Amino acid sequence: MSVRVTGIGIISAIGLTVAENLRSLKESRSGIGPVQYLEEEEGLLVGEVKMSDQTLKNELGIGSKAISRTSLLGLKAAKEAWGENQHSKKIRTGIISSTSVGGMDRTEDFYKTYLAGTNPDYKLLKTHDSGNTTERIAAELGISGYINTLSTACSSGANAIMLGARLLLSGKLDRVLVGGSDALTKFTINGFRSLMIYDDQWCRPFDETRSGLNLGEGAAFLLLENDSSIDISGNKTIGYVNGWANAADAYHQTASSPDGKGATLAITNALEKSGFALSDISYINAHGTGTKNNDLSESVALRNVFGENIPSFSSTKSFTGHTLAAAGAIEAVFSILAIQHDLIFPNLNYKIPIAETGLEPVASLQTEKPVKAVLSNSFGFGGNNSSLVFSNHD
Amino acid sequence: MYYISAASTISHQPTFQNVGFSTHIEPLQETSVLLTPDYKGFIDAGLLRRMSKILRMSVACAKDCIGQAGIDQPDAIIVGTGLGCLLDTEKFLNNVLTIEGLLPPTSFIQSTHNTMAGQISLSIGNHGYNMTHTQNSISFENALLDAMLLLEEGERNVLIGAADEAIDFLNVISEKLHLQLQHSLTSGASFFILSKQKNDHALACVKDTQAIGLVNDVTGQIKDFLAGNEMKVQDLDLVLLPGTSHHSDGLPASLASLNLEENKCVDYLRFSGIYPTASAFAMHLAADKMKADKSLKNVLICNTLIQSNLGLTLLQSVEA
């Protein structure tokens, strides 16, 4: 019961296209650096997309109407994943995006002028709601009908892919763009700082000295098609979504459980759904945010599921920063790239294993081993845990 | 067919734990307030203090539903919300822009859209599928479709609901944007247990639901939806509609060509007030009416709250 992937698109701190992202991954080049575009404290380390709103607007041919950065990033990635595909009455097409901040970037602009009493533009607020960010992307791509947005914090992007796969298998849709988008905002930066899990240094996932995350921004989309859609589109299959699962940790509103219960359930159920054996997994793209709590809990979950034979794993968040709702989608694109090019991406900044678990992520680019199946984890606030399995076969 | 085996609503009406409310509620007065139960019966006092309106409503309705259905745990928790946790979002945004230095984290933690579903799973210790849909006025229908898919995939009981909370600032925005709303902006939460198996608790059945974004042919879509369920407009015993500003002679102008009989139409916004997921209130209202009046066999909730969105939900009576 797998679903075909026929298109991918991405924009992140390490590149504006799939090709640019792949190049940065191969060159171990991180996109995390001092803040340039967002008005924030000088020197703050973030994974910004290296393009201003205005340049994005110009490139995407967006007029003067207010639009959030979340929509702009999403549209850029969605357009790349959509490619040259055409609309057809015979192909029921939908879009599922995901976001945690929605149009918060524009709301912050509004609120600043509102608090200052300097003639705030209330129309900006029409871009606030998360559903609007997806609607704008859909409108630009000419998609109407099934338009939906998921918001399950840091697992949102993975959930969009899962829901898209389920909708295709149920026969409700023939083709669906699935992914996520989140822009950097003062709201989220200060939010993670208030939780004291924002690292002022470059994040170090799965390292004993890790002390928090760096936020990033970006978007990624995958195009999923069923057989009848492919009969018409003629698109080549570039990978498969073979397994998925979503489970609640039900431990704490923000922290992950020490026994990794929700994560263990998500990984186990996704693998079961895929029908793959534990030994079939060539690579795990971990959630690995760089926080004390997540990386320990995830390590415990990997140990719970794989025992002593944990496949090669790494977190790519030291490249992109934690892109929240987009993370699951961005890392899904990385998973497809790993399969397409037989690559295992390095976990930058890893030096010392976590004392409690002793797990060692892959620290340099691996190019020798065939990569047939990849497990991708996305765990979030509210105990929302999701895992996906991708491969090169159905 | 999916059975509604429990329903619970907290709103500006006496809906909570009040079976048969649909027969005697009155249209809202402008001064109406949210009618809340004693939350201590549902939520631990320590947690309750920190919870905003939307969280309290959601957790209480969820627990009430689980009690009504007589189940230990639902297999999944799915929530739809148009605007999410506005109170905490506004509070944290204000803090970010006005306070220097480290901020208290509670309002940030509780600002994310998935806080309701997360808090429900926490409060009942549920490890199942947990999802939050947010597509403005059709968030509830999208959540409902997800629940139906899960039941087709083998789950038995799904807790599915919707919630939105009003903040004062919404009134300022609607005035500045000249929205000319005909009803007050309100808060509400409605939760249901949707079950695959028929059971003694069932109030009504969900036959089908569809959420359509950027809709252009509303009447065509309604006819197609009904035809897909082997039904015509004339077969409907009741149609619940949001009476909004695009009304002409009592019915939305976009629905004029459907030839709906006016005495079969009910404007649910007169009872619920306006919030993005008010169609969830309409589903409880419809189910409550169907439980009381066996002549109501086919009921359509036609959510045209926002012109670009269309939500359709077809309910059928539980066959004897």
Side-chain angles (χ1 to χ4, degrees):
Chain A
M1 295 286 265
S2 57
V3 168
R4 292 164 187 270
V5 181
T6 61
I8 48 177
I10 185 170
I11 181 166
S12 77
I14 59 169
L16 307 172
T17 61
V18 171
E20 287 185 22
N21 274 269
L22 179 61
R23 196 178 317 133
S24 297
L25 287 168
K26 283 164 107 172
E27 292 171 1
S28 297
R29 191 151 33 86
S30 173
I32 294 172
V35 64
Q36 293 175 43
Y37 297 91
L38 188 72
E39 220 180 278
E40 259 292 341
E41 170 188 315
E42 208 180 314
L44 179 80
L45 291 181
V46 289
E48 273 179 314
V49 166
K50 312 299 185 283
M51 204 178 237
S52 70
D53 286 356
Q54 195 52 53
T55 314
L56 276 165
K57 272 183 167 182
N58 294 345
E59 182 159 313
L60 294 164
I62 301 287
S64 57
K65 204 174 154 198
I67 184 166
S68 67
R69 186 167 173 86
T70 302
S71 284
L72 291 169
L73 297 173
L75 182 57
K76 178 88 169 63
K79 272 193 165 174
E80 188 183 21
W82 180 253
E84 301 298 313
N85 280 286
Q86 303 293 315
H87 287 289
S88 157
K89 285 214 162 104
K90 291 182 188 149
I91 309 177
R92 291 163 302 163
T93 304
I95 181 168
I96 308 166
S97 186
S98 55
T99 181
S100 66
V101 297
M104 182 59 82
D105 57 316
R106 290 288 90 86
T107 303
E108 287 176 359
D109 292 343
F110 164 85
Y111 222 75
K112 272 181 254 172
T113 54
Y114 172 78
L115 289 174
T118 52
N119 199 20
D121 178 6
Y122 282 83
K123 287 201 195 76
L124 279 183
L125 295 175
K126 289 184 172 180
T127 67
H128 173 82
D129 81 273
S130 301
N132 177 275
T133 62
T134 310
E135 228 169 64
R136 286 301 292 275
I137 298 167
E140 294 292 333
L141 292 171
I143 296 172
S144 61
Y146 191 90
I147 299 172
N148 194 8
T149 311
L150 301 178
S151 194
T152 55
C154 316
S155 65
S156 308
N159 282 331
I161 296 166
M162 183 182 318
L163 180 61
R166 292 168 56 222
L167 282 162
L168 289 197
L169 289 178
S170 74
K172 294 273 177 197
L173 291 174
D174 301 309
R175 175 171 65 179
V176 62
L177 262 176
V178 291
S181 180
D182 256 330
L184 269 173
T185 62
K186 296 175 87 71
F187 191 93
T188 38
I189 289 170
N190 285 282
F192 285 97
R193 284 187 146 181
S194 77
L195 288 164
M196 295 192 278
I197 53 174
Y198 201 106
D199 198 338
D200 290 330
Q201 296 171 278
W202 189 2
C203 66
R204 298 172 300 287
F206 293 108
D207 190 88
E208 175 65 13
T209 69
R210 72 199 181 283
S211 67
L213 51 79
N214 305 136
L215 279 186
E217 64 181 352
F221 278 88
L222 289 79
L223 186 63
L224 310 180
E225 289 184 79
N226 68 11
D227 289 351
S228 67
S229 176
I230 287 178
D231 283 345
I232 297 168
S233 70
N235 285 334
K236 188 170 158 268
T237 301
I238 59 172
Y240 294 83
V241 192
N242 301 84
W244 49 84
N246 165 317
D249 198 33
Y251 172 73
H252 184 269
Q253 185 58 35
T254 56
S256 305
S257 58
D259 61 355
K261 169 115 188 192
T264 303
L265 272 172
I267 297 168
T268 306
N269 295 344
L271 285 169
E272 189 188 315
K273 181 98 189 161
S274 73
F276 294 167
L278 296 177
S279 56
D280 291 336
I281 299 298
S282 327
Y283 166 53
I284 300 169
N285 187 298
H287 187 56
T289 56
T291 64
K292 285 273 178 212
N293 177 243
N294 174 82
D295 294 5
L296 176 58
S297 177
E298 187 171 8
S299 296
V300 170
L302 291 178
R303 191 68 90 198
N304 289 345
V305 178
F306 293 96
E308 291 305 309
N309 302 307
I310 298 175
S312 302
F313 75 96
S314 67
S315 161
T316 44
K317 288 192 172 68
S318 37
F319 284 90
T320 58
H322 189 357
T323 56
L324 303 179
I330 283 177
E331 288 155 27
V333 167
F334 290 172
S335 300
I336 297 289
L337 290 174
I339 292 164
Q340 280 184 307
H341 302 277
D342 286 325
L343 295 173
I344 292 177
F345 307 120
N347 189 110
L348 305 180
N349 296 342
Y350 166 78
K351 286 196 184 71
I352 310 160
I354 296 173
E356 293 93 326
T357 51
L359 301 193
E360 293 188 32
V362 171
S364 60
L365 183 76
Q366 307 288 305
T367 58
E368 303 301 316
K369 204 172 103 176
V371 178
K372 290 179 181 159
V374 176
L375 171 75
S376 177
N377 290 337
S378 296
F379 307 141
F381 257 35
N384 279 142
N385 295 334
S386 291
S387 292
L388 300 171
V389 178
F390 300 93
S391 83
N392 61 358
H393 58 282
D394 62 6
Chain B
M1 202 73 101
Y2 313 93
Y3 297 88
I4 302 174
S5 23
S8 183
T9 294
I10 293 174
S11 67
H12 284 232
Q13 295 284 357
T15 42
F16 193 72
Q17 296 190 328
N18 186 12
V19 175
F21 72 86
S22 62
T23 58
H24 55 261
I25 56 172
E26 297 287 329
L28 285 186
Q29 302 294 316
E30 246 181 74
T31 54
S32 76
V33 294
L34 186 69
L35 302 180
T36 55
D38 182 1
Y39 284 121
K40 286 197 223 67
F42 301 91
I43 304 167
D44 171 74
L47 282 172
L48 187 59
R49 265 199 310 278
R50 289 196 293 273
M51 280 185 176
S52 62
K53 186 161 62 177
I54 194 169
L55 293 179
R56 294 171 174 206
M57 293 192 298
S58 300
V59 174
C61 286
K63 284 201 174 171
D64 181 29
C65 274
I66 290 165
Q68 282 178 38
I71 55 173
D72 288 336
Q73 288 285 351
D75 299 315
I77 297 167
I78 305 176
V79 176
T81 181
L83 289 167
C85 303
L86 282 180
L87 274 168
D88 280 309
T89 301
E90 185 186 40
K91 190 171 172 189
F92 194 72
L93 181 60
N94 231 313
N95 286 349
V96 167
L97 298 179
T98 56
I99 302 175
E100 293 277 328
L102 197 64
L103 306 171
T106 306
S107 55
F108 176 65
I109 292 169
Q110 297 190 156
S111 72
T112 59
H113 283 58
N114 62 332
T115 314
M116 286 80 83
Q119 285 287 344
I120 295 168
S121 79
L122 263 178
S123 67
I124 61 172
N126 187 280
H127 295 285
Y129 179 94
N130 194 282
M131 192 68 92
T132 301
H133 297 253
T134 175
Q135 195 56 43
N136 205 311
S137 64
I138 46 175
S139 306
F140 173 64
E141 287 81 354
N142 275 312
L144 187 59
L145 177 64
D146 190 1
M148 286 163 46
L149 289 180
L150 281 182
L151 294 175
E152 285 303 312
E153 292 163 13
E155 303 292 17
R156 293 158 303 157
N157 299 298
V158 176
L159 176 70
I160 181 260
D164 270 294
E165 65 184 357
I167 54 174
D168 291 341
F169 197 57
L170 288 182
N171 290 313
V172 177
I173 297 168
S174 79
E175 193 179 305
K176 295 284 183 183
L177 292 177
H178 311 293
L179 296 185
Q180 295 175 319
L181 303 176
Q182 297 192 340
H183 304 284
S184 318
L185 292 168
T186 54
S187 304
S190 294
F191 279 75
F192 309 90
I193 299 282
L194 203 64
S195 308
K196 191 77 175 85
Q197 294 294 322
K198 191 174 169 181
N199 56 70
D200 297 341
H201 307 283
L203 289 88
C205 300
V206 177
K207 178 68 175 31
D208 199 3
T209 192
Q210 194 178 1
I212 304 157
L214 300 176
V215 63
N216 42 44
D217 176 15
V218 171
T219 50
Q221 291 282 1
I222 294 171
K223 285 176 184 166
D224 286 352
F225 175 77
L226 290 174
N229 288 289
E230 291 160 354
M231 208 170 276
K232 292 198 266 314
V233 172
Q234 298 87 308
D235 299 326
L236 297 171
D237 303 305
L238 181 69
V239 180
L240 281 89
L241 300 153
T244 47
S245 55
H246 50 282
H247 255 201
S248 68
D249 67 1
L251 291 175
S254 58
L255 301 183
S257 68
L258 278 181
N259 299 321
L260 293 170
E261 291 173 46
E262 230 178 288
N263 61 359
K264 287 185 179 176
C265 296
V266 170
D267 168 9
Y268 62 83
L269 288 190
R270 293 172 70 211
F271 301 104
S272 64
I274 297 176
Y275 56 96
T277 50
S279 57
F281 175 98
M283 186 158 114
H284 192 179
L285 182 67
D288 192 73
K289 278 179 182 290
M290 293 169 83
K291 182 92 182 164
D293 180 353
K294 298 293 175 208
S295 74
L296 300 175
K297 302 224 181 289
N298 299 302
V299 176
L300 181 70
I301 300 160
C302 184
N303 170 6
T304 54
L305 183 62
I306 289 181
Q307 261 168 318
S308 61
N309 285 341
L310 175 64
L312 297 170
T313 304
L314 181 61
L315 302 183
Q316 291 188 330
S317 54
V318 182
E319 296 293 331

